[in-house]
Amino acid sequence: KTKTDKRATMAAPQPQAAVDMMAEFQAGVTAALRSWSALRTAVETDWGGAESHAKAEDLRTNILSQFDTSGKPKMEQEELEDNLADYMEEEFSVVLEDGSERQLADVIHRMYDACARGDVTLCRQVVANAQTVVSSFPAQKAVVQTEGEMDEDDDDDNMGSGVLASTPSTAAASYASEGLFGPAPTAKPQANMPPPRQLGDAAPEKPQVEVDDDGFAPVAPKKGRKGRQT
């Protein structure tokens, strides 16, 4: 065989392998977001309004769009941290003071790097941990977790029975396709709603305040800001 033929033979299985690794990574990201108590609490208590579930799904979609099969993330870890914090504040009025956005960005990047090497262990650990954590939540009840509950390096007590230890990538793809926090409640469509903000996009500009002839402007009441408990 020529060098070209050998190269083609060696490269043949790689596309499917890359797809499998991405399925595992997407399942890991889904699990990490499910385990993130700041997001879960914001969605279950509707801090983002009637579109809270949709905003959480948009966040997952936006995160996954920054990682592809190239093995090179489009968004660095520090940038992802900042954008996670900004998204939570702007879309859910949640100010993160516990550093959980750094933990989440770190585990996402480590899962991606591991999958690029063909290692899905970390992704499956995060999924197993999420299953244990989420199963302990009463339905539709906001629960604030401690920082360590999302860390894949926790003791085996948090890892459950390890039922995903040999799960094929097809099951990972199915897991990643599920809704983050169950089906979204049915809501009436709202007219003239702006499109969802993409991760990394600047917040929309606030409308200009009109000033009357005497130089006075109406003052809008301040909205209460819901902070993340630590």
Side-chain angles (χ1 to χ4, degrees), residues 75 79-88 197 199-201:
M75 183 176 286
E79 188 180 0
L80 179 57
E81 293 172 9
D82 292 340
N83 280 286
L84 287 170
D86 289 345
Y87 193 91
M88 291 300 293
R197 187 173 71 84
L199 197 67
D201 287 353

Side-chain angles (χ1 to χ4, degrees), residues 19-214:
V19 170
D20 292 344
M21 292 302 101
M22 283 305 299
E24 298 281 355
F25 171 71
Q26 290 168 358
V29 171
T30 296
L33 289 173
R34 283 178 174 170
S35 299
W36 192 19
S37 57
L39 181 61
R40 170 174 286 276
T41 302
V43 171
E44 292 184 347
T45 53
D46 288 333
W47 287 352
E51 300 297 318
S52 291
H53 277 79
K55 289 179 179 180
E57 295 295 345
D58 288 338
L59 177 60
R60 173 170 59 171
T61 300
N62 292 337
I63 290 173
L64 294 177
S65 70
Q66 303 300 319
F67 301 87
D68 56 25
T69 57
S70 68
K72 297 179 180 179
K74 301 175 184 177
M75 183 176 286
E76 296 298 327
Q77 181 173 330
E78 293 79 7
E79 188 180 0
L80 179 57
E81 293 172 9
D82 292 340
N83 280 286
L84 287 170
D86 289 345
Y87 193 91
M88 291 300 293
E89 182 172 359
E90 294 164 7
E91 301 299 331
F92 294 100
S93 297
V94 174
V95 178
L96 298 173
E97 297 179 348
D98 62 347
S100 59
E101 75 279 7
R102 292 193 296 273
Q103 184 185 11
L104 179 59
D106 174 68
V107 76
I108 288 174
H109 269 264
R110 285 194 287 130
M111 286 191 296
Y112 184 70
D113 291 342
C115 285
R117 301 191 304 270
D119 183 1
V120 300
T121 304
L122 177 56
C123 290
R124 293 182 180 181
Q125 284 179 336
V126 174
V127 170
N129 184 51
Q131 287 188 322
T132 302
V133 172
V134 172
S135 66
S136 68
F137 290 170
Q140 299 302 319
K141 181 178 179 180
V143 176
V144 177
Q145 308 165 38
T146 60
E147 277 191 32
E149 286 180 325
M150 196 178 67
D151 191 347
E152 77 290 343
D153 291 327
D154 279 356
D155 295 336
D156 290 340
D157 293 339
N158 284 337
M159 295 304 299
S161 59
V163 292
L164 296 189
S166 59
T167 300
S169 58
T170 51
S174 177
Y175 181 88
S177 68
E178 296 173 358
L180 275 178
F181 303 110
T186 303
K188 294 181 179 179
Q190 300 182 20
N192 301 322
M193 288 293 292
R197 187 173 71 84
Q198 300 299 305
L199 197 67
D201 287 353
E205 294 184 2
K206 296 181 179 179
Q208 296 293 326
V209 177
E210 295 184 2
V211 180
D212 60 23
D213 295 337
D214 295 325

